[in-house]
Amino acid sequence: MASTTAVKNNMADHWASLGNTISAHTGDPGAAGTANEVVGGGYSRQPTTWGSASGGVISGSQVTFTVPGGTNVTHLGRWNGSTYLGSIDSPDASVSPAGEIKPTPSFTYSGD
């Protein structure tokens, strides 16, 4: 039996409740989430505020990362304090010269 929209929304809302800190990576974050994390240029992990799910999709507020020039961000990570929860939508964003990237994290629950 397929999941109803209400179930998908509940699952997405629960997923968002588990963590709201986002990291930027230049490659796969790995199992611990610390591989390929951006360094330098004023970079730091950023908080997002999750909205309410609709149609099984939940989006966070846009986050701004200050990164060194020439940085190619391919992955975002999600954290609850110091606990890595996994990667989320990849922004595939490049910055040149030094500046900012501003991804908006999101998650789609598509389970049945």
Side-chain angles (χ1 to χ4, degrees):
M1 175 181 1
S3 297
T4 66
T5 300
V7 169
K8 290 179 181 182
N9 289 343
N10 286 338
M11 294 302 291
D13 285 334
H14 175 71
W15 178 92
S17 74
L18 299 176
N20 69 340
T21 301
I22 309 298
S23 58
H25 302 262
T26 60
D28 188 330
T34 54
N36 302 306
E37 190 166 2
V38 173
V39 294
Y43 167 81
S44 64
R45 295 175 185 170
Q46 298 297 311
T48 191
T49 301
W50 297 105
S52 295
S54 176
V57 178
I58 193 160
S59 296
S61 57
Q62 185 178 66
V63 295
T64 300
F65 295 109
T66 303
V67 299
T71 301
N72 184 27
V73 174
T74 61
H75 293 73
L76 298 177
R78 188 168 67 107
W79 299 80
N80 180 343
S82 61
T83 302
Y84 179 63
L85 301 172
S87 61
I88 58 173
D89 298 316
S90 301
D92 292 321
S94 297
V95 178
S96 184
E100 300 176 333
I101 64 165
K102 297 181 178 186
T104 301
S106 66
F107 169 76
T108 301
Y109 179 79
S110 58
D112 287 326

